Amino acid sequence: MTPADAHLQIGSLLFEGLDQIDLTGPYEVLARIPDATYRVYGRTADQVRDVRGLRIAPDAAIADAPQLDVLHIPGGLGQEALMEDEAVLGWIRRQAAGAKIVFSVCTGALVCGAAGLLKGRRATTHWNSIHLLPFFGATPVDERVVVDDGFVFAAGVTAGIDGALRLAAMLRGEDVAQAIQLYMAYAPEPPFDSGDPKTAPAAVLAEARRAVADVTARREATARRVAARLGVAVG
Amino acid sequence: MTPADAHLQIGSLLFEGLDQIDLTGPYEVLARIPDATYRVYGRTADQVRDVRGLRIAPDAAIADAPQLDVLHIPGGLGQEALMEDEAVLGWIRRQAAGAKIVFSVCTGALVCGAAGLLKGRRATTHWNSIHLLPFFGATPVDERVVVDDGFVFAAGVTAGIDGALRLAAMLRGEDVAQAIQLYMAYAPEPPFDSGDPKTAPAAVLAEARRAVADVTARREATARRVAARLGVAVG
């Protein structure tokens, strides 16, 4: 792990069609890590829109990023295009080779997988895509945050907040993470017990799966092409 | 409450120096409420930066907003300037007069207070500012989400997610809110029990209060001026 006194370069990847809270949840934490430079890097320097339309602009383009110590990859519908975007995948691969931690949120894990980073790893992603992890050579782990040797994987969407706080503690100690959590008033009181397929009402889950069936099928087709490219044998 | 079949106009206020997750946490929910038009409105149409630098652009300027059914006011350091910005306060006052729900997050409650909307109300805000609510004629309630007759107040920062899900259930029923919560995988597992002053380690809390003492003092001075303007007598 990084010595406590080393200045850290932390960067998040921004892309068209991301799920904004995969970025903005962790942002709240990453932007408050002491003695660090935190920047958001876009595929280009242009503003993008999240999957529901939120307009976010990067600080710089990925081509202008320094070697990062922490590389954060969010997910969201737009991740599918990235899975076959060699410009982005190559950047992720080169950054990951020099980074201390790669931190994926939600289907950002599939982008890391497409970059070839998941072979032999324990990983997690959104509940709706966790069955795709073996296409990248990973072992799916049904936990909210999975830490595996230089990788932190947060499961779906808001799990990025939990993952980022875990990461802050790893980088700067528990006191620092606790102070950030206090500032954020992160003592959640979800109004329903519906944030996990294991506890959500059956009808709500069935409708949710139905609503994303097309996305899931398309993602699986892409994952199969990636598996072939990576030489991963899947049944 | 709105008939279930009425199309809703939902709007969030974006301003320089907001705490981005006060906007983006609720965004994840509000953008998924069925049969609604959701837009982010800026003081102007220009991109702003959040208190830590995140670059977010509005969909339109407040001057171009229709009458909203739901008006969402985030907080963050930049709210202090809004407390004496009559252009924004007047807009909030006019929108609130026609809205079904005003939804404040964190110190967004103080902006609503400065617009004169809190007199006689039960309300909440970030733990570090809750003692300021009486300056606006409100009764502070130490709960994460407070619902008071057309108002939904979420406490600090990430409480906006809980508040937005409560609001979604009020507007469109529990099934809809549960489906959004499932999509968001909002089954939080905070790594520490440090998100509330009542449970945070004493040393972490003391340091947090010290770190924001200047901000708190400045906010109180502003709140006193607002109280005088509103004719609220505070001891």
Side-chain angles (χ1 to χ4, degrees):
Chain A
M1 192 48 54
T2 314
D5 59 352
H7 187 87
L8 295 169
Q9 292 285 345
I10 305 177
S12 295
L13 177 65
L14 178 69
F15 55 89
E16 186 74 27
L18 89 162
D19 189 327
Q20 60 86 18
I21 209 169
D22 291 11
L23 169 71
T24 58
Y27 188 100
E28 197 70 7
V29 178
L30 301 178
R32 289 173 173 84
I33 290 179
D35 199 9
T37 300
Y38 176 43
R39 294 280 182 274
V40 173
Y41 296 101
R43 198 186 184 300
T44 71
D46 296 340
Q47 175 183 290
V48 305
R49 300 194 68 178
D50 113 301
V51 68
R52 300 303 293 183
L54 185 66
R55 300 163 197 270
I56 308 177
D59 295 307
I62 56 176
D64 297 321
Q67 172 63 52
L68 300 170
D69 298 300
V70 177
L71 170 62
H72 164 218
I73 311 281
L77 220 53
Q79 63 78 32
E80 208 205 316
L82 294 193
M83 288 167 72
E84 298 180 298
D85 181 334
E86 189 48 41
V88 173
L89 295 178
W91 180 78
I92 290 174
R93 217 176 281 123
R94 290 189 299 277
Q95 284 288 351
K100 294 170 178 72
I101 305 268
V102 177
F103 170 38
S104 79
V105 176
C106 198
T107 49
L110 309 185
V111 179
C112 293
L117 302 178
L118 297 198
K119 285 184 183 176
R121 293 199 181 278
R122 303 167 67 250
T124 196
T125 185
H126 193 273
W127 54 263
N128 193 52
S129 289
I130 194 165
H131 64 289
L132 300 180
L133 289 173
F135 287 104
F136 311 102
T139 303
V141 179
D142 184 17
E143 291 172 9
R144 192 155 174 86
V145 178
V146 174
V147 179
D148 182 331
D149 185 28
F151 279 73
V152 176
F153 300 96
V157 195
T158 55
I161 300 172
D162 298 323
L165 285 167
R166 288 274 297 272
L167 178 58
M170 290 164 65
L171 294 168
R172 293 295 188 219
E174 295 200 352
D175 282 7
V176 164
Q178 287 171 336
I180 295 172
Q181 188 180 338
L182 176 60
Y183 165 77
M184 292 168 69
Y186 187 52
E189 295 180 11
F192 307 104
D193 194 14
S194 146
D196 186 299
K198 293 188 286 298
T199 60
V204 169
L205 177 60
E207 170 58 22
R209 289 205 191 274
R210 195 203 54 74
V212 294
D214 286 357
V215 172
T216 309
R218 213 167 53 225
R219 243 179 212 150
E220 177 166 336
T222 307
R224 283 187 184 279
R225 287 196 299 276
V226 171
R229 171 166 59 75
L230 295 175
V232 173
V234 197
Chain B
M1 192 48 53
T2 315
D5 58 354
H7 187 87
L8 293 169
Q9 292 285 345
I10 304 177
S12 295
L13 178 65
L14 178 69
F15 55 90
E16 187 73 28
L18 89 163
D19 188 327
Q20 59 87 18
I21 210 171
D22 291 10
L23 170 71
T24 58
Y27 188 101
E28 198 70 6
V29 179
L30 300 178
R32 289 173 173 83
I33 290 180
D35 198 9
T37 300
Y38 176 43
R39 294 280 181 273
V40 173
Y41 297 101
R43 197 186 183 303
T44 70
D46 295 340
Q47 176 182 289
V48 305
R49 299 194 70 177
D50 114 301
V51 67
R52 302 303 294 182
L54 185 66
R55 301 164 197 268
I56 308 177
D59 296 307
I62 55 175
D64 297 321
Q67 172 63 51
L68 299 171
D69 298 300
V70 177
L71 170 61
H72 164 217
I73 312 282
L77 219 54
Q79 63 78 31
E80 207 205 317
L82 292 193
M83 287 166 73
E84 298 180 296
D85 181 333
E86 189 48 41
V88 173
L89 296 179
W91 180 79
I92 290 174
R93 217 175 283 124
R94 289 189 300 276
Q95 284 288 350
K100 293 170 179 72
I101 304 267
V102 176
F103 169 39
S104 80
V105 176
C106 198
T107 50
L110 308 186
V111 180
C112 293
L117 302 178
L118 297 197
K119 286 185 184 177
R121 293 200 180 279
R122 303 167 67 250
T124 196
T125 184
H126 192 273
W127 55 262
N128 192 51
S129 290
I130 193 164
H131 63 291
L132 300 179
L133 289 174
F135 287 103
F136 311 104
T139 303
V141 179
D142 185 17
E143 291 172 9
R144 193 154 172 87
V145 177
V146 174
V147 178
D148 182 333
D149 184 28
F151 279 72
V152 176
F153 300 96
V157 195
T158 54
I161 300 172
D162 298 323
L165 286 167
R166 287 275 296 275
L167 177 58
M170 289 164 65
L171 294 168
R172 293 294 188 221
E174 296 201 350
D175 282 8
V176 164
Q178 288 171 335
I180 295 172
Q181 188 181 339
L182 176 60
Y183 165 76
M184 291 168 69
Y186 186 52
E189 294 181 11
F192 307 103
D193 195 14
S194 144
D196 187 300
K198 292 187 288 297
T199 60
V204 169
L205 177 60
E207 171 59 21
R209 288 205 192 272
R210 196 203 55 71
V212 294
D214 287 356
V215 172
T216 308
R218 216 167 50 227
R219 244 181 214 151
E220 178 166 335
T222 308
R224 283 186 185 279
R225 287 196 299 277
V226 171
R229 171 165 59 74
L230 295 175
V232 173
V234 197

